[in-house]
Amino acid sequence: QVQLVESGGGLVQPGGSLRLSCVASGSIFSSDDMGWHRQAPGKQRELVARITSSGSTNYADSVKGRFTISRDNAEKTVYLQMNSLKPEDTAVYYCILDQPRSYGHLRWWGQGTQVTVSS
């Protein structure tokens, strides 16, 4: 069993910054990949950023150059630094942790944290 707890969401003006954190607990392994998804009202959930166990990253095109994902394996924490925020970044942001399995991976989800970008 894995638990993921996000924090750092809130209300910010356009052009502002926020830093999301996600702490993992339970049966965590160094081979686990982590990341962030988001879901805006009326839209499907989408990948924002992902970081592998070795530190490789990938981002949605809409956030490249503005968001940075990082992880601290010792603290079992993944971060999402969000700069130059836009109103279209408004969404619930979910932390994910993927554990490799023979069939692909087992994905765990956090409860989500609300990010609202508005003046």
Side-chain angles (χ1 to χ4, degrees), residues 9-16 18 20 37-46 48 62-63 66-67 80 82-94 113-119:
L11 173 65
V12 63
Q13 291 187 342
L18 281 176
L20 305 183
H37 285 228
R38 68 185 180 186
Q39 187 166 21
K43 294 187 177 182
Q44 289 188 334
R45 197 170 293 189
E46 62 176 359
V48 177
S62 59
V63 307
R66 300 188 298 121
F67 291 10
L80 186 68
M82 304 186 294
N83 299 327
S84 302
L85 282 161
K86 304 175 181 180
E88 51 263 43
D89 294 318
T90 295
V92 178
Y93 284 70
Y94 297 91
T113 184
Q114 177 70 46
V115 171
T116 303
V117 184
S118 175
S119 55

Side-chain angles (χ1 to χ4, degrees), residues 2-115:
V2 171
Q3 295 80 40
L4 302 172
V5 179
E6 302 105 329
S7 61
L11 173 65
V12 63
Q13 291 187 342
S17 298
L18 281 176
R19 188 192 195 205
L20 305 183
S21 300
C22 171
V23 180
S25 62
S27 300
I28 309 299
F29 303 95
S30 59
S31 58
D32 297 340
D33 296 343
M34 300 186 75
W36 294 89
H37 285 228
R38 68 185 180 186
Q39 187 166 21
K43 294 187 177 182
Q44 289 188 334
R45 197 170 293 189
E46 62 176 359
L47 170 70
V48 177
R50 180 182 179 87
I51 184 165
T52 69
S53 57
S54 61
S56 298
T57 59
N58 65 284
Y59 297 90
D61 288 342
S62 59
V63 307
K64 283 181 180 177
R66 300 188 298 121
F67 291 10
T68 302
I69 189 170
S70 60
R71 66 189 288 170
D72 183 332
N73 290 330
E75 297 297 326
K76 298 180 181 179
T77 301
V78 63
Y79 303 98
L80 186 68
Q81 177 67 43
M82 304 186 294
N83 299 327
S84 302
L85 282 161
K86 304 175 181 180
E88 51 263 43
D89 294 318
T90 295
V92 178
Y93 284 70
Y94 297 91
C95 176
I96 63 161
L97 184 143
D98 288 338
Q99 296 183 316
R101 294 289 188 269
S102 58
Y103 53 81
H105 63 260
L106 174 63
R107 173 163 290 175
W108 301 89
W109 292 87
Q111 81 287 354
T113 184
Q114 177 70 46
V115 171

